[in-house]
Amino acid sequence: MAAAARGGWWGMAGSVANAVFSFLLVGLITRAVGAHGSGAIFTGVALFTILSSACKLGADTGLVRFVPRDLAVNDGRSVGALLRTAVLPATLAGIAAAVPLLLFPSVATTLLPQLPPSDAVALVRLFGLFLPAATVGAVLLGATRGFGTVVPFVGVEQIGKPVLRVLIAIPVACYVPGVLSLASAWLLPALAGSLAAWFALRRCRAGQGVTRSAGHEPVPWRTFWGFAAPRAISSVFDIGAVWVGVILLSVLATAGEAGVYTAVARVVTAGTLVQLAVRLAVAPEISRLLAVDQAAEAKGLHRVSTCWIVLFSWPLFVLVAGFPRTVLSVFGPEFADGAPALMVLCVASMVNVAVGNAQTVLLMSGRSSWHLAVTGAAFTVQLTVGVLAIPAWGVLGAAVSWGAAIVVENLAAAVLVRLRLGFKTVDRGYTSALGIVLLASVVLAAAHTTMGDTPSGLAVGMALGMCVFTTSLWRYRTSLSVGELVGVLRRRAA
Protein backbone atom coordinates (compact mmCIF):
# COMPACT_ATOMS: atom_id res chain seq x y z
CA MET A 1 0.00 0.00 0.00
CA ALA A 2 2.90 2.33 0.76
CA ALA A 3 4.40 1.62 -2.66
CA ALA A 4 1.07 2.39 -4.32
CA ALA A 5 0.75 5.59 -2.29
CA ARG A 6 4.27 6.67 -3.22
CA GLY A 7 3.62 6.02 -6.89
CA GLY A 8 0.24 7.71 -6.55
CA TRP A 9 1.84 10.91 -5.29
CA TRP A 10 4.25 10.94 -8.22
CA GLY A 11 1.38 10.25 -10.57
CA MET A 12 -0.67 12.99 -8.97
CA ALA A 13 2.13 15.53 -9.40
CA GLY A 14 2.43 14.52 -13.04
CA SER A 15 -1.33 14.63 -13.50
CA VAL A 16 -1.50 18.20 -12.21
CA ALA A 17 1.34 19.27 -14.49
CA ASN A 18 -0.23 17.45 -17.42
CA ALA A 19 -3.60 19.07 -16.81
CA VAL A 20 -2.16 22.58 -16.50
CA PHE A 21 0.06 22.44 -19.57
CA SER A 22 -2.51 20.57 -21.66
CA PHE A 23 -5.02 23.32 -20.91
CA LEU A 24 -2.42 25.91 -21.86
CA LEU A 25 -1.66 24.12 -25.12
CA VAL A 26 -5.31 23.74 -26.10
CA GLY A 27 -5.88 27.40 -25.21
CA LEU A 28 -2.90 28.51 -27.31
CA ILE A 29 -4.00 26.49 -30.32
CA THR A 30 -7.67 27.45 -30.15
CA ARG A 31 -6.91 31.15 -29.77
CA ALA A 32 -4.24 31.07 -32.48
CA VAL A 33 -6.24 29.32 -35.23
CA GLY A 34 -9.82 29.29 -33.85
CA ALA A 35 -12.23 26.42 -33.55
CA HIS A 36 -11.94 25.54 -37.26
CA GLY A 37 -8.14 25.29 -37.32
CA SER A 38 -7.90 23.63 -33.93
CA GLY A 39 -10.48 21.07 -35.06
CA ALA A 40 -8.22 20.09 -37.98
CA ILE A 41 -5.16 19.84 -35.74
CA PHE A 42 -6.90 17.74 -33.13
CA THR A 43 -8.37 15.47 -35.78
CA GLY A 44 -4.76 14.73 -36.75
CA VAL A 45 -3.86 14.27 -33.09
CA ALA A 46 -6.78 11.85 -32.73
CA LEU A 47 -5.63 9.79 -35.72
CA PHE A 48 -2.03 9.78 -34.47
CA THR A 49 -3.02 8.78 -30.94
CA ILE A 50 -5.30 5.95 -32.06
CA LEU A 51 -2.71 4.55 -34.47
CA SER A 52 0.09 4.83 -31.92
CA SER A 53 -2.00 2.97 -29.37
CA ALA A 54 -2.86 0.28 -31.90
CA CYS A 55 0.74 -0.15 -33.02
CA LYS A 56 1.89 -0.89 -29.48
CA LEU A 57 0.06 -4.21 -29.97
CA GLY A 58 -0.61 -4.35 -26.23
CA ALA A 59 3.11 -4.84 -25.62
CA ASP A 60 3.33 -2.01 -23.07
CA THR A 61 0.62 -3.57 -20.89
CA GLY A 62 2.22 -6.96 -21.40
CA LEU A 63 5.48 -5.62 -19.99
CA VAL A 64 3.66 -4.01 -17.04
CA ARG A 65 2.26 -7.45 -16.21
CA PHE A 66 5.19 -9.77 -16.96
CA VAL A 67 8.20 -7.70 -15.81
CA PRO A 68 7.16 -7.49 -12.12
CA ARG A 69 6.22 -11.18 -12.16
CA ASP A 70 9.66 -12.04 -13.53
CA LEU A 71 11.35 -9.81 -10.94
CA ALA A 72 9.39 -11.51 -8.15
CA VAL A 73 9.90 -15.11 -9.32
CA ASN A 74 13.10 -15.17 -11.44
CA ASP A 75 15.03 -12.11 -10.19
CA GLY A 76 14.46 -10.44 -13.54
CA ARG A 77 16.54 -12.84 -15.61
CA SER A 78 13.99 -12.88 -18.46
CA VAL A 79 13.56 -9.11 -18.79
CA GLY A 80 15.90 -8.80 -21.78
CA ALA A 81 14.03 -11.51 -23.67
CA LEU A 82 10.72 -9.87 -22.76
CA LEU A 83 11.90 -6.58 -24.24
CA ARG A 84 12.98 -8.22 -27.47
CA THR A 85 9.65 -10.03 -27.70
CA ALA A 86 7.73 -6.78 -27.19
CA VAL A 87 9.66 -4.01 -28.96
CA LEU A 88 10.42 -5.49 -32.38
CA PRO A 89 6.81 -6.29 -33.42
CA ALA A 90 5.64 -2.90 -32.15
CA THR A 91 8.33 -1.14 -34.17
CA LEU A 92 7.36 -2.97 -37.35
CA ALA A 93 3.69 -2.18 -36.72
CA GLY A 94 4.48 1.52 -36.32
CA ILE A 95 6.35 1.60 -39.62
CA ALA A 96 3.57 -0.31 -41.41
CA ALA A 97 0.91 2.09 -40.11
CA ALA A 98 2.91 5.13 -41.19
CA VAL A 99 3.17 3.99 -44.83
CA PRO A 100 -0.49 4.68 -45.81
CA LEU A 101 -0.33 8.11 -44.19
CA LEU A 102 2.75 8.99 -46.20
CA LEU A 103 1.84 7.46 -49.56
CA PHE A 104 -1.95 7.73 -49.95
CA PRO A 105 -3.31 11.31 -50.10
CA SER A 106 -6.90 10.08 -50.15
CA VAL A 107 -6.61 9.22 -46.45
CA ALA A 108 -5.94 12.88 -45.64
CA THR A 109 -8.65 14.35 -47.85
CA THR A 110 -11.22 11.94 -46.38
CA LEU A 111 -10.39 12.75 -42.76
CA LEU A 112 -9.92 16.50 -43.27
CA PRO A 113 -12.38 17.60 -45.95
CA GLN A 114 -12.56 21.09 -44.44
CA LEU A 115 -8.90 21.82 -45.30
CA PRO A 116 -7.44 22.48 -48.76
CA PRO A 117 -6.19 19.15 -50.14
CA SER A 118 -2.54 20.17 -50.09
CA ASP A 119 -2.72 21.24 -46.43
CA ALA A 120 -4.60 18.10 -45.43
CA VAL A 121 -2.03 15.83 -47.10
CA ALA A 122 0.90 17.72 -45.53
CA LEU A 123 -0.68 17.53 -42.08
CA VAL A 124 -1.38 13.78 -42.21
CA ARG A 125 2.10 13.04 -43.61
CA LEU A 126 3.61 15.03 -40.76
CA PHE A 127 1.87 12.85 -38.21
CA GLY A 128 2.93 9.72 -40.11
CA LEU A 129 6.62 10.64 -39.88
CA PHE A 130 6.55 10.67 -36.08
CA LEU A 131 4.40 7.57 -35.58
CA PRO A 132 7.08 4.81 -35.29
CA ALA A 133 9.20 6.70 -32.75
CA ALA A 134 6.20 7.51 -30.57
CA THR A 135 5.10 3.87 -30.62
CA VAL A 136 8.48 2.54 -29.49
CA GLY A 137 8.73 5.15 -26.74
CA ALA A 138 5.35 4.14 -25.32
CA VAL A 139 6.36 0.46 -25.18
CA LEU A 140 9.63 1.29 -23.41
CA LEU A 141 7.77 3.35 -20.82
CA GLY A 142 5.54 0.35 -20.17
CA ALA A 143 8.66 -1.63 -19.34
CA THR A 144 9.83 1.00 -16.83
CA ARG A 145 6.48 0.77 -15.05
CA GLY A 146 7.02 -2.96 -14.74
CA PHE A 147 10.07 -2.23 -12.60
CA GLY A 148 7.77 -0.67 -10.01
CA THR A 149 8.48 2.99 -10.71
CA VAL A 150 6.19 5.53 -12.32
CA VAL A 151 8.83 8.29 -12.37
CA PRO A 152 9.93 7.77 -16.02
CA PHE A 153 6.33 7.63 -17.25
CA VAL A 154 5.38 10.71 -15.26
CA GLY A 155 8.53 12.56 -16.30
CA VAL A 156 8.10 11.84 -20.01
CA GLU A 157 4.37 11.58 -20.69
CA GLN A 158 2.86 13.81 -18.01
CA ILE A 159 5.50 16.49 -17.52
CA GLY A 160 8.14 16.44 -20.24
CA LYS A 161 5.97 16.28 -23.35
CA PRO A 162 3.25 18.72 -22.17
CA VAL A 163 5.82 21.28 -21.03
CA LEU A 164 7.85 21.03 -24.25
CA ARG A 165 4.72 21.36 -26.36
CA VAL A 166 3.73 24.58 -24.62
CA LEU A 167 7.27 26.00 -24.79
CA ILE A 168 7.42 25.32 -28.53
CA ALA A 169 3.85 26.42 -29.21
CA ILE A 170 4.17 29.85 -27.54
CA PRO A 171 6.58 31.37 -30.10
CA VAL A 172 4.87 29.49 -32.94
CA ALA A 173 1.44 30.88 -31.98
CA CYS A 174 2.88 34.39 -31.67
CA TYR A 175 4.96 34.57 -34.84
CA VAL A 176 3.96 31.81 -37.30
CA PRO A 177 0.48 30.62 -36.31
CA GLY A 178 -0.87 27.95 -38.62
CA VAL A 179 -2.19 24.42 -38.69
CA LEU A 180 1.07 22.80 -39.81
CA SER A 181 3.35 24.78 -37.50
CA LEU A 182 1.21 24.15 -34.42
CA ALA A 183 0.88 20.46 -35.30
CA SER A 184 4.69 20.33 -35.45
CA ALA A 185 4.84 21.87 -31.98
CA TRP A 186 2.67 19.02 -30.72
CA LEU A 187 4.73 16.31 -32.48
CA LEU A 188 8.35 17.32 -31.87
CA PRO A 189 8.43 16.31 -28.18
CA ALA A 190 7.58 12.73 -29.21
CA LEU A 191 11.16 12.20 -30.40
CA ALA A 192 12.66 13.55 -27.20
CA GLY A 193 10.23 11.44 -25.18
CA SER A 194 11.24 8.21 -26.92
CA LEU A 195 14.94 8.92 -26.32
CA ALA A 196 14.28 9.70 -22.64
CA ALA A 197 12.29 6.46 -22.30
CA TRP A 198 15.25 4.46 -23.63
CA PHE A 199 17.68 6.01 -21.13
CA ALA A 200 15.21 5.52 -18.27
CA LEU A 201 14.78 1.84 -19.09
CA ARG A 202 18.55 1.33 -19.14
CA ARG A 203 18.74 2.90 -15.70
CA CYS A 204 15.94 0.71 -14.36
CA ARG A 205 17.63 -2.46 -15.61
CA ALA A 206 21.00 -1.43 -14.22
CA GLY A 207 19.44 -0.61 -10.87
CA GLN A 208 17.90 -4.10 -10.64
CA GLY A 209 21.04 -5.83 -11.93
CA VAL A 210 19.22 -7.43 -14.86
CA THR A 211 21.22 -6.07 -17.78
CA ARG A 212 21.72 -9.62 -19.09
CA SER A 213 19.30 -12.49 -19.36
CA ALA A 214 21.39 -15.21 -21.04
CA GLY A 215 21.07 -18.72 -19.75
CA HIS A 216 17.53 -18.42 -18.46
CA GLU A 217 14.34 -19.60 -20.08
CA PRO A 218 12.34 -16.51 -21.13
CA VAL A 219 8.60 -16.10 -20.98
CA PRO A 220 7.28 -18.05 -24.00
CA TRP A 221 6.44 -15.93 -27.00
CA ARG A 222 2.99 -17.47 -27.18
CA THR A 223 2.31 -16.70 -23.51
CA PHE A 224 3.29 -13.05 -23.86
CA TRP A 225 1.37 -12.38 -27.05
CA GLY A 226 -1.54 -14.53 -25.91
CA PHE A 227 -2.05 -11.88 -23.25
CA ALA A 228 -0.96 -8.85 -25.30
CA ALA A 229 -2.97 -9.56 -28.47
CA PRO A 230 -6.43 -9.03 -26.91
CA ARG A 231 -5.03 -6.00 -25.11
CA ALA A 232 -3.80 -4.64 -28.45
CA ILE A 233 -7.37 -4.53 -29.73
CA SER A 234 -8.91 -3.28 -26.50
CA SER A 235 -6.32 -0.47 -26.29
CA VAL A 236 -7.58 0.75 -29.67
CA PHE A 237 -11.09 0.80 -28.24
CA ASP A 238 -9.85 2.63 -25.13
CA ILE A 239 -8.06 5.42 -26.94
CA GLY A 240 -10.60 5.44 -29.75
CA ALA A 241 -13.32 6.21 -27.21
CA VAL A 242 -11.53 9.45 -26.36
CA TRP A 243 -10.91 10.58 -29.93
CA VAL A 244 -13.55 8.99 -32.15
CA GLY A 245 -15.95 11.81 -31.31
CA VAL A 246 -13.50 14.34 -32.77
CA ILE A 247 -13.17 12.33 -35.97
CA LEU A 248 -16.94 11.79 -36.34
CA LEU A 249 -17.63 15.48 -35.76
CA SER A 250 -15.00 16.42 -38.33
CA VAL A 251 -16.61 14.09 -40.91
CA LEU A 252 -20.33 14.36 -40.03
CA ALA A 253 -20.49 17.93 -38.69
CA THR A 254 -17.95 20.77 -38.80
CA ALA A 255 -14.35 21.37 -37.77
CA GLY A 256 -15.58 24.06 -35.38
CA GLU A 257 -17.69 21.54 -33.47
CA ALA A 258 -14.73 19.16 -33.42
CA GLY A 259 -12.67 21.91 -31.80
CA VAL A 260 -15.32 22.56 -29.15
CA TYR A 261 -15.62 18.85 -28.40
CA THR A 262 -11.84 18.60 -28.03
CA ALA A 263 -11.92 21.27 -25.34
CA VAL A 264 -14.76 19.46 -23.56
CA ALA A 265 -12.90 16.15 -23.72
CA ARG A 266 -9.75 17.81 -22.38
CA VAL A 267 -11.62 19.03 -19.30
CA VAL A 268 -13.14 15.60 -18.66
CA THR A 269 -9.81 13.85 -19.16
CA ALA A 270 -8.22 16.20 -16.64
CA GLY A 271 -10.79 15.04 -14.10
CA THR A 272 -9.72 11.40 -14.50
CA LEU A 273 -6.02 12.12 -14.02
CA VAL A 274 -6.25 11.15 -10.34
CA GLN A 275 -7.53 7.76 -11.41
CA LEU A 276 -4.68 7.45 -13.91
CA ALA A 277 -2.15 8.45 -11.25
CA VAL A 278 -3.32 5.68 -8.91
CA ARG A 279 -3.58 3.17 -11.76
CA LEU A 280 0.05 3.71 -12.77
CA ALA A 281 1.21 2.78 -9.28
CA VAL A 282 -1.32 0.04 -8.50
CA ALA A 283 -1.07 -2.04 -11.70
CA PRO A 284 2.42 -3.56 -11.20
CA GLU A 285 1.75 -4.04 -7.47
CA ILE A 286 -1.41 -6.06 -8.17
CA SER A 287 0.44 -8.13 -10.77
CA ARG A 288 3.26 -8.85 -8.31
CA LEU A 289 0.89 -9.75 -5.46
CA LEU A 290 -1.11 -12.14 -7.64
CA ALA A 291 2.13 -13.72 -8.93
CA VAL A 292 3.17 -14.69 -5.37
CA ASP A 293 -0.37 -15.84 -4.37
CA GLN A 294 -1.18 -12.86 -2.16
CA ALA A 295 -4.69 -12.35 -3.51
CA ALA A 296 -6.06 -10.97 -0.24
CA GLU A 297 -3.48 -8.18 -0.24
CA ALA A 298 -4.26 -7.40 -3.89
CA LYS A 299 -7.97 -7.14 -3.10
CA GLY A 300 -7.29 -4.86 -0.15
CA LEU A 301 -5.11 -2.63 -2.31
CA HIS A 302 -7.89 -2.38 -4.88
CA ARG A 303 -10.42 -1.32 -2.25
CA VAL A 304 -8.17 1.33 -0.73
CA SER A 305 -7.06 2.72 -4.09
CA THR A 306 -10.69 2.95 -5.24
CA CYS A 307 -11.50 4.90 -2.10
CA TRP A 308 -8.67 7.36 -2.88
CA ILE A 309 -9.86 7.77 -6.46
CA VAL A 310 -13.46 8.52 -5.48
CA LEU A 311 -12.36 10.87 -2.72
CA PHE A 312 -10.23 13.10 -4.92
CA SER A 313 -12.00 12.79 -8.30
CA TRP A 314 -15.71 13.14 -7.64
CA PRO A 315 -15.45 16.68 -6.18
CA LEU A 316 -13.73 17.82 -9.38
CA PHE A 317 -16.52 16.48 -11.57
CA VAL A 318 -19.20 17.98 -9.33
CA LEU A 319 -17.44 21.34 -9.52
CA VAL A 320 -17.10 21.27 -13.31
CA ALA A 321 -20.68 20.05 -13.83
CA GLY A 322 -21.93 22.93 -11.68
CA PHE A 323 -20.03 25.64 -13.58
CA PRO A 324 -19.55 24.27 -17.13
CA ARG A 325 -19.81 27.53 -19.07
CA THR A 326 -17.33 29.28 -16.80
CA VAL A 327 -14.83 26.43 -17.17
CA LEU A 328 -15.13 26.27 -20.96
CA SER A 329 -14.88 30.04 -21.36
CA VAL A 330 -11.17 29.65 -20.63
CA PHE A 331 -10.78 28.41 -24.21
CA GLY A 332 -12.74 31.32 -25.69
CA PRO A 333 -16.34 32.56 -25.81
CA GLU A 334 -17.34 30.23 -28.67
CA PHE A 335 -16.50 27.16 -26.56
CA ALA A 336 -19.12 27.89 -23.89
CA ASP A 337 -21.72 26.26 -26.16
CA GLY A 338 -20.25 22.91 -25.16
CA ALA A 339 -21.59 23.25 -21.60
CA PRO A 340 -24.40 20.63 -21.97
CA ALA A 341 -21.92 18.14 -23.42
CA LEU A 342 -19.53 18.76 -20.54
CA MET A 343 -22.27 18.10 -17.98
CA VAL A 344 -23.18 14.79 -19.65
CA LEU A 345 -19.57 13.60 -19.64
CA CYS A 346 -19.05 14.65 -16.01
CA VAL A 347 -21.95 12.43 -14.92
CA ALA A 348 -20.63 9.51 -16.97
CA SER A 349 -17.11 10.01 -15.63
CA MET A 350 -18.41 9.82 -12.07
CA VAL A 351 -19.57 6.28 -12.88
CA ASN A 352 -16.10 5.57 -14.26
CA VAL A 353 -14.44 6.81 -11.08
CA ALA A 354 -16.91 4.99 -8.82
CA VAL A 355 -15.70 1.52 -9.85
CA GLY A 356 -12.02 2.41 -9.41
CA ASN A 357 -9.45 0.56 -11.48
CA ALA A 358 -11.60 -2.48 -12.17
CA GLN A 359 -10.24 -2.74 -15.70
CA THR A 360 -6.67 -2.75 -14.38
CA VAL A 361 -7.58 -5.69 -12.15
CA LEU A 362 -8.89 -7.56 -15.20
CA LEU A 363 -5.64 -6.98 -17.08
CA MET A 364 -3.20 -7.66 -14.24
CA SER A 365 -5.01 -10.91 -13.42
CA GLY A 366 -4.43 -12.04 -17.01
CA ARG A 367 -8.02 -11.63 -18.24
CA SER A 368 -7.16 -9.53 -21.27
CA SER A 369 -9.82 -11.36 -23.32
CA TRP A 370 -12.47 -10.29 -20.81
CA HIS A 371 -11.22 -6.74 -21.04
CA LEU A 372 -11.42 -6.93 -24.81
CA ALA A 373 -15.05 -8.04 -24.65
CA VAL A 374 -15.94 -5.18 -22.30
CA THR A 375 -14.20 -2.46 -24.30
CA GLY A 376 -15.48 -3.86 -27.60
CA ALA A 377 -19.07 -3.71 -26.41
CA ALA A 378 -18.61 -0.16 -25.13
CA PHE A 379 -17.00 1.02 -28.36
CA THR A 380 -19.81 -0.50 -30.40
CA VAL A 381 -22.30 1.45 -28.29
CA GLN A 382 -20.32 4.66 -28.74
CA LEU A 383 -19.95 4.31 -32.49
CA THR A 384 -23.62 3.42 -33.00
CA VAL A 385 -24.95 6.24 -30.85
CA GLY A 386 -22.44 8.67 -32.33
CA VAL A 387 -23.40 7.99 -35.94
CA LEU A 388 -27.07 8.43 -35.06
CA ALA A 389 -26.81 11.39 -32.68
CA ILE A 390 -23.99 13.59 -34.03
CA PRO A 391 -25.74 14.71 -37.25
CA ALA A 392 -28.72 15.90 -35.18
CA TRP A 393 -27.11 17.07 -31.92
CA GLY A 394 -23.52 17.88 -32.87
CA VAL A 395 -21.22 18.20 -29.87
CA LEU A 396 -23.92 17.04 -27.46
CA GLY A 397 -24.47 13.91 -29.56
CA ALA A 398 -20.74 13.08 -29.39
CA ALA A 399 -20.83 13.54 -25.63
CA VAL A 400 -23.90 11.32 -25.22
CA SER A 401 -22.26 8.56 -27.27
CA TRP A 402 -19.03 8.67 -25.24
CA GLY A 403 -20.94 8.89 -21.96
CA ALA A 404 -23.00 5.81 -22.84
CA ALA A 405 -19.80 3.90 -23.65
CA ILE A 406 -18.17 4.94 -20.36
CA VAL A 407 -21.13 3.67 -18.34
CA VAL A 408 -21.39 0.36 -20.21
CA GLU A 409 -17.67 -0.35 -20.04
CA ASN A 410 -17.13 0.41 -16.37
CA LEU A 411 -20.25 -1.26 -15.01
CA ALA A 412 -19.48 -4.42 -16.99
CA ALA A 413 -15.87 -4.45 -15.72
CA ALA A 414 -17.04 -3.92 -12.12
CA VAL A 415 -19.45 -6.84 -12.36
CA LEU A 416 -16.77 -9.17 -13.74
CA VAL A 417 -14.24 -8.15 -11.12
CA ARG A 418 -16.73 -8.67 -8.30
CA LEU A 419 -18.46 -11.88 -9.41
CA ARG A 420 -15.65 -13.72 -11.19
CA LEU A 421 -12.50 -12.54 -9.37
CA GLY A 422 -13.87 -11.67 -5.93
CA PHE A 423 -12.55 -8.09 -5.81
CA LYS A 424 -14.92 -5.99 -3.70
CA THR A 425 -15.14 -2.23 -4.08
CA VAL A 426 -17.50 -0.94 -1.42
CA ASP A 427 -16.35 -0.87 2.22
CA ARG A 428 -16.45 1.57 5.13
CA GLY A 429 -13.86 3.85 3.55
CA TYR A 430 -15.78 3.94 0.27
CA THR A 431 -19.01 5.02 1.95
CA SER A 432 -17.11 7.67 3.93
CA ALA A 433 -15.64 9.04 0.69
CA LEU A 434 -19.10 9.23 -0.87
CA GLY A 435 -20.43 11.05 2.17
CA ILE A 436 -17.68 13.67 1.98
CA VAL A 437 -18.37 14.23 -1.70
CA LEU A 438 -22.09 14.66 -1.06
CA LEU A 439 -21.40 17.32 1.59
CA ALA A 440 -19.11 19.20 -0.79
CA SER A 441 -21.74 18.90 -3.54
CA VAL A 442 -24.37 20.58 -1.35
CA VAL A 443 -22.03 23.54 -0.83
CA LEU A 444 -21.30 23.83 -4.55
CA ALA A 445 -25.01 23.63 -5.38
CA ALA A 446 -25.72 26.46 -2.95
CA ALA A 447 -23.01 28.60 -4.54
CA HIS A 448 -24.39 27.91 -8.02
CA THR A 449 -27.95 28.73 -6.95
CA THR A 450 -26.91 31.98 -5.30
CA MET A 451 -24.37 33.35 -7.80
CA GLY A 452 -25.01 31.39 -11.00
CA ASP A 453 -22.55 29.92 -13.49
CA THR A 454 -20.10 32.80 -13.15
CA PRO A 455 -16.40 33.14 -12.26
CA SER A 456 -17.31 34.59 -8.87
CA GLY A 457 -19.71 31.71 -8.19
CA LEU A 458 -16.99 29.24 -9.15
CA ALA A 459 -14.48 30.92 -6.82
CA VAL A 460 -16.89 30.98 -3.87
CA GLY A 461 -17.95 27.39 -4.47
CA MET A 462 -14.34 26.21 -4.61
CA ALA A 463 -13.44 28.05 -1.37
CA LEU A 464 -16.40 26.78 0.63
CA GLY A 465 -16.23 23.29 -0.86
CA MET A 466 -12.54 23.03 0.04
CA CYS A 467 -13.30 23.94 3.67
CA VAL A 468 -15.97 21.24 3.92
CA PHE A 469 -13.78 18.71 2.12
CA THR A 470 -10.67 19.16 4.27
CA THR A 471 -12.67 19.15 7.51
CA SER A 472 -14.48 15.95 6.57
CA LEU A 473 -11.25 14.37 5.32
CA TRP A 474 -9.65 14.89 8.73
CA ARG A 475 -12.70 13.51 10.51
CA TYR A 476 -12.70 10.25 8.52
CA ARG A 477 -8.95 9.95 7.92
CA THR A 478 -8.70 6.45 9.43
CA SER A 479 -11.38 4.74 7.35
CA LEU A 480 -10.07 6.52 4.24
CA SER A 481 -6.51 5.22 4.84
CA VAL A 482 -5.21 8.76 4.57
CA GLY A 483 -2.41 7.82 6.94
CA GLU A 484 -0.64 5.85 4.22
CA LEU A 485 -0.70 8.81 1.85
CA VAL A 486 0.52 11.27 4.50
CA GLY A 487 3.09 8.80 5.79
CA VAL A 488 4.73 8.59 2.38
CA LEU A 489 5.07 12.38 2.27
CA ARG A 490 6.56 12.46 5.77
CA ARG A 491 9.13 9.78 4.94
CA ARG A 492 10.12 11.62 1.77
CA ALA A 493 10.47 14.89 3.70
CA ALA A 494 12.59 13.18 6.35
Side-chain angles (χ1 to χ4, degrees):
M1 193 178 296
R6 184 168 51 252
W9 279 116
W10 276 108
M12 189 62 206
S15 297
V16 172
N18 189 18
V20 170
F21 284 94
S22 295
F23 272 116
L24 289 175
L25 181 66
V26 173
L28 282 170
I29 292 176
T30 54
R31 290 186 177 274
V33 294
H36 185 275
S38 64
I41 293 173
F42 289 120
T43 299
V45 171
L47 176 66
F48 180 88
T49 306
I50 293 172
L51 286 177
S52 177
S53 180
C55 292
K56 290 185 299 183
L57 304 177
D60 56 332
T61 307
L63 291 173
V64 173
R65 179 170 188 260
F66 284 105
V67 167
R69 296 170 74 89
D70 189 67
L71 291 172
V73 178
N74 301 319
D75 295 325
R77 290 189 292 269
S78 297
V79 170
L82 277 171
L83 290 172
R84 290 189 293 272
T85 300
V87 173
L88 181 58
T91 304
L92 295 176
I95 295 172
V99 170
L101 303 183
L102 297 172
L103 300 183
F104 298 101
S106 59
V107 175
T109 55
T110 301
L111 289 172
L112 299 170
Q114 68 275 16
L115 288 181
S118 58
D119 291 345
V121 171
L123 181 63
V124 170
R125 284 177 175 172
L126 185 64
F127 280 102
L129 287 173
F130 287 83
L131 183 59
T135 301
V136 173
V139 174
L140 296 180
L141 287 176
T144 63
R145 287 178 56 201
F147 280 92
T149 176
V150 301
V151 175
F153 183 90
V154 170
V156 173
E157 289 292 331
Q158 296 188 313
I159 298 177
K161 286 184 180 180
V163 171
L164 278 177
R165 282 167 179 157
V166 170
L167 293 179
I168 296 172
I170 289 175
V172 170
C174 292
Y175 298 107
V176 284
V179 171
L180 291 178
S181 59
L182 288 169
S184 299
W186 191 90
L187 285 167
L188 284 173
L191 294 178
S194 297
L195 186 62
W198 181 73
F199 279 111
L201 179 58
R202 287 192 61 184
R203 185 171 180 178
C204 288
R205 296 183 67 190
Q208 293 283 347
V210 292
T211 54
R212 296 182 180 180
S213 57
H216 186 78
E217 183 68 24
V219 174
W221 186 91
R222 180 172 294 181
T223 300
F224 181 88
W225 288 108
F227 170 83
R231 176 54 184 156
I233 304 173
S234 65
S235 65
V236 177
F237 293 146
D238 282 339
I239 199 67
V242 179
W243 291 105
V244 72
V246 178
I247 297 176
L248 288 176
L249 282 168
S250 181
V251 175
L252 300 176
T254 66
E257 290 179 299
V260 172
Y261 180 77
T262 299
V264 171
R266 179 61 62 186
V267 174
V268 173
T269 303
T272 61
L273 290 179
V274 174
Q275 185 179 25
L276 173 60
V278 175
R279 178 186 305 155
L280 292 176
V282 165
E285 293 297 328
I286 289 179
S287 177
R288 181 183 63 82
L289 289 170
L290 293 177
V292 294
D293 297 324
Q294 294 182 347
E297 287 80 357
K299 294 174 182 178
L301 181 58
H302 172 65
R303 289 195 301 273
V304 173
S305 63
T306 301
C307 175
W308 292 342
I309 293 168
V310 170
L311 183 64
F312 294 106
S313 295
W314 267 38
L316 295 176
F317 287 119
V318 172
L319 179 69
V320 172
F323 302 90
R325 299 186 69 86
T326 301
V327 172
L328 289 174
S329 64
V330 173
F331 301 102
E334 58 187 321
F335 290 86
D337 293 337
L342 181 56
M343 295 176 66
V344 168
L345 287 176
C346 282
V347 173
S349 296
M350 291 176 73
V351 176
N352 174 19
V353 168
V355 304
N357 287 319
Q359 298 184 57
T360 299
V361 173
L362 287 178
L363 289 171
M364 293 302 102
S365 62
R367 272 66 173 188
S368 57
S369 58
W370 295 8
H371 187 262
L372 172 59
V374 168
T375 54
F379 190 76
T380 301
V381 170
Q382 181 176 7
L383 200 59
T384 303
V385 176
V387 170
L388 296 175
I390 286 176
W393 295 348
V395 176
L396 180 59
V400 170
S401 66
W402 189 16
I406 290 173
V407 173
V408 169
E409 180 175 352
N410 285 279
L411 291 183
V415 170
L416 286 174
V417 164
R418 175 65 183 92
L419 298 182
R420 302 299 297 273
L421 301 179
F423 278 73
K424 297 181 180 178
T425 301
V426 178
D427 60 3
R428 181 183 175 187
Y430 189 91
T431 56
S432 298
L434 288 181
I436 292 174
V437 173
L438 289 176
L439 286 175
S441 300
V442 171
V443 174
L444 291 173
H448 182 275
T449 302
T450 303
M451 308 185 72
D453 188 355
T454 61
S456 58
L458 176 61
V460 171
M462 288 179 63
L464 295 178
M466 184 62 68
C467 292
V468 173
F469 180 80
T470 52
T471 303
S472 303
L473 185 62
W474 176 257
R475 169 66 178 81
Y476 296 100
R477 62 189 182 279
T478 302
S479 61
L480 295 170
S481 300
V482 175
E484 284 76 8
L485 287 170
V486 176
V488 169
L489 288 182
R490 286 177 177 172
R491 286 193 293 273
R492 292 187 64 83

